[in-house]
Amino acid sequence: MPVKASCSRTSATALRSTLVIAEIALAVVLLVSAGLLIRSLDRVASAAPGADVDRVLAARIGVPGPRYAPPQRSDFFRNPV
């Protein structure tokens, strides 16, 4: 067996081993990051909002563009009926 072929097999094996180790390390980092993200989202979801939000209603009201000019649109929201 030639020395050059032996060296290329050894370097290919070393490269393959390095890539496998890097892949496992990346998988561990991703799993830890996902766990931390889930824990953070759980804490945010269970945190108090800081204000009493019981019996509060939020709605989006749109004013039709062609019927109202820009000054009339702002008057619509400033002066409720």
Side-chain angles (χ1 to χ4, degrees):
M1 180 190 281
V3 174
K4 189 173 185 176
S6 175
C7 286
S8 81
R9 285 186 187 163
T10 304
S11 63
T13 304
L15 177 64
R16 190 176 305 129
S17 301
T18 304
L19 289 175
V20 168
I21 291 170
E23 185 177 0
I24 291 171
L26 182 61
V28 169
V29 167
L30 288 174
L31 283 172
V32 170
S33 299
L36 290 172
L37 177 67
I38 289 172
R39 184 167 37 161
S40 296
L41 289 176
D42 184 46
R43 285 184 181 176
V44 167
S46 64
D52 186 18
V53 293
D54 290 338
R55 297 171 38 185
V56 173
L57 176 67
R60 176 175 248 169
I61 300 173
V63 178
R67 283 186 60 189
Y68 296 98
Q72 291 173 328
R73 287 183 202 162
S74 60
D75 289 341
F76 177 81
F77 290 106
R78 287 190 187 130
N79 304 320
V81 176

